[in-house]
Amino acid sequence: MSLYVYVEPDDERRTHWGNDFRAIGGTMLKSMSELESYLPRYPETLLVVIGAVVDLDEALMFTAYQRLQRPVIGVVLIRHAIEAGVVLRCLQSGIRDLVAEEDEEGIRSATVRSVDLSKALSTTMRGTGDNAPYASVVTVFAGKGGCGRSVVAVNLAVALAGAGRRVLLMDLDLQFGDVAIMMKLSPERNIAGGLQMAGRLDEPGLRSIVTTYRQSLDALLAPASPAEGEQVRREFVVELLDVARPLYDFIVVDTPSVVTDQVLAALDMSDWFIPIVTPDLPALKSVRLTAEMFDLLDYPKDKRLLVFNRAGAQVGLSPSEVEVAAGMPFAVQVPASRDVTVSVNHGEPIAVTDPLHPVSRAIRELGDRIAGVGTTPQRRRGFLGRLFP
Ligand SMILES: Nc1ncnc2c1ncn2[C@@H]1O[C@H](COP(=O)(O)OP(=O)(O)OP(=O)(O)O)[C@@H](O)[C@H]1O
Ligand SMILES: [Mg+2]
């Protein structure tokens, strides 16, 4: 994770600036398309430096788009030479600073100035400084249907809210979401209601489509029909999360069993990954594939918390066999209990109706792991403070 990114397609220049930039904890990228996939995963990025050989139009389009999406990010553009016509276009697109490539001192001071401004902006935009929330995204995922994703997501959201955190539960099972029925919520307000605001969603807009379950727990429900679910694009999921993050401490995301574009968008923005496994061979196969996918996508291993659901079911596979086959340790074991099915059928999360039930306790333990060791932007800002005192 780094807060500063330098896009430099030219090998020689990348080597020249590499050490300098890495010394301040920066990341070097080779292309604008790498940058595009990097930013959703590191929304806390404050500075993007764009090298002299990157196409001007591409750089300006990127900047104009980010000015609306992530106004905190500052873009410093390096060019071979500064021409009057280019300066005007840069101003119009929102470039923070334009520097000639031979002016190395100018480049350094432009980056420091831009980071200072971004720090000031992010404090103002998040409201009151250190106590302002900036949600950690927690995505519950399993490649096999019916293994308890929605039960875990719903009860995890209840557990985190019960610990005094502001929580948004987002149902990204856009075709067949179950959150509404599991919480007995009327599905009138849902993600589809935000579609006409796509590209310009703001806080009141988001608030107009969430459903409040209880104090400090809101739900963003799946569309009422599968057809509407198909209209929700990946970019809109990113936008929903971007707008929601400053309003909550945690965003818990429930997902379908297929890796859709929308699920990938949420995973890419996640701070915590909650794979689920049950004691049966198809689930074991799918959790291994999930782990391989997480490896490929470079999701940090220490942010994956494996839930063993239906633990204790007498089905011929012991917990240790499941753990070995899954290839990672369990974070928590949620026992099998018919009370879970009863709670689902009543539309009342078990963590609400019976907080002391072993299932509720196990999920609360998961919540404690997430809430207790979560990274916070305050800490990140402190880190930055040390880099640019
Ligand atoms: N620990 C448990 N003990 C007993 N039953 C459970 C447990 N966890 C889940 N179930 C049962 O399994 C069913 C499926 O759970 P859930 O809907 O959470 O799975 P899912 O992975 O979200 O499935 P889907 O693919 O339908 O989205 C629930 O209706 C519930 O009755
Ligand atoms: Mg489900």
Side-chain angles (χ1 to χ4, degrees):
M1 194 276 296
S2 94
L3 302 166
Y4 327 117
V5 188
Y6 190 160
V7 183
E8 185 48 271
D10 181 67
D11 289 345
E12 218 173 276
R13 291 180 175 87
R14 215 170 39 251
T15 315
H16 177 71
W17 280 102
N19 288 341
D20 231 356
F21 206 65
R22 274 188 288 271
I24 58 159
T27 296
M28 300 292 296
L29 299 177
K30 285 186 192 163
S31 66
M32 293 300 281
S33 54
E34 269 190 26
L35 178 64
E36 246 171 61
S37 53
Y38 179 93
L39 282 182
R41 296 171 57 187
Y42 299 103
E44 59 278 36
T45 301
L46 293 181
L47 169 72
V48 174
V49 180
I50 299 181
V53 300
V54 172
D55 178 69
L56 179 66
D57 287 334
E58 214 181 333
L60 297 185
M61 258 170 62
F62 163 83
T63 309
Y65 179 72
Q66 293 304 330
R67 183 156 66 162
L68 299 173
Q69 293 296 309
R70 299 184 173 86
V72 164
I73 293 181
V75 180
V76 171
L77 183 64
I78 302 174
R79 294 288 93 179
H80 300 303
I82 310 296
E83 292 148 11
V86 174
V87 176
L88 183 60
R89 290 183 64 200
C90 287
L91 276 175
Q92 285 165 343
S93 72
I95 296 269
R96 286 251 179 95
D97 233 318
L98 174 65
V99 200
E101 75 175 324
E102 79 269 9
D103 183 7
E104 297 204 356
E105 211 28 65
I107 293 173
R108 286 194 185 89
S109 55
T111 56
V112 173
R113 265 198 315 275
S114 177
V115 168
D116 281 346
L117 182 55
S118 293
K119 282 203 292 186
L121 270 177
S122 67
T123 307
T124 323
M125 290 176 70
R126 283 176 196 163
T128 54
D130 278 0
N131 290 325
Y134 189 68
S136 294
V137 178
V138 183
T139 301
V140 178
F141 181 78
K144 187 187 152 276
C147 58
R149 281 184 309 265
S150 302
V151 163
V152 169
V154 164
N155 286 286
L156 177 61
V158 169
L160 287 165
R165 308 307 183 104
R166 283 155 291 191
V167 181
L168 177 68
L169 173 59
M170 189 192 263
D171 194 348
L172 271 195
D173 190 345
L174 295 166
Q175 250 83 45
F176 302 107
D178 288 330
V179 167
I181 51 163
M182 284 190 179
M183 303 174 91
K184 221 192 278 171
L185 288 171
S186 153
E188 277 148 35
R189 290 152 74 110
N190 62 56
I191 293 180
L195 284 170
Q196 76 269 27
M197 297 182 266
R200 51 183 179 81
L201 185 75
D202 55 10
E203 183 185 329
L206 177 73
R207 290 203 191 280
S208 74
I209 56 171
V210 302
T211 308
T212 298
Y213 178 71
R214 46 163 53 187
Q215 201 190 4
S216 83
L217 174 51
D218 290 337
L220 187 48
L221 301 172
S225 76
E228 279 179 321
E230 270 174 26
Q231 293 172 35
V232 178
R233 310 244 75 86
R234 175 194 168 98
E235 294 74 23
F236 189 50
V237 173
V238 172
E239 191 177 8
L240 285 167
L241 289 168
D242 274 341
V243 175
R245 272 187 128 154
L247 309 177
Y248 297 93
D249 297 309
F250 292 97
I251 301 172
V252 178
V253 183
D254 187 15
T255 58
S257 51
V258 275
V259 189
T260 59
D261 247 14
Q262 297 86 340
V263 169
L264 267 180
L267 284 168
D268 279 351
M269 291 176 77
S270 292
D271 300 272
W272 292 97
F273 307 84
I274 317 293
I276 303 204
V277 67
T278 46
D280 54 280
L281 287 180
L284 277 174
K285 184 186 128 202
S286 105
V287 80
R288 288 203 78 115
L289 291 175
T290 299
E292 277 170 27
M293 176 182 87
F294 285 4
D295 288 345
L296 271 176
L297 294 169
D298 222 8
Y299 298 153
K301 285 203 161 73
D302 62 341
K303 296 292 181 181
R304 304 178 196 173
L305 298 175
L306 176 63
V307 172
F308 180 29
N309 190 26
R310 296 175 195 266
Q314 301 300 315
V315 288
L317 281 173
S318 72
S320 51
E321 282 171 322
V322 175
E323 202 167 38
V324 169
M328 61 181 131
F330 299 142
V332 292
Q333 301 192 31
V334 179
S337 165
R338 58 177 293 280
D339 299 335
V340 174
T341 311
V342 173
S343 81
V344 168
N345 291 344
H346 286 171
E348 291 173 336
I350 192 163
V352 171
T353 53
D354 191 354
L356 298 180
H357 192 284
V359 167
S360 311
R361 282 179 196 269
I363 294 177
R364 201 160 51 242
E365 197 185 318
L366 178 68
D368 288 347
R369 285 279 296 270
I370 291 166
V373 291
T375 50
T376 68
Q378 284 74 34
R379 245 182 270 160
R380 286 170 189 158
R381 283 207 289 270
F383 173 68
L384 188 63
R386 287 201 300 282
L387 287 175
F388 291 97

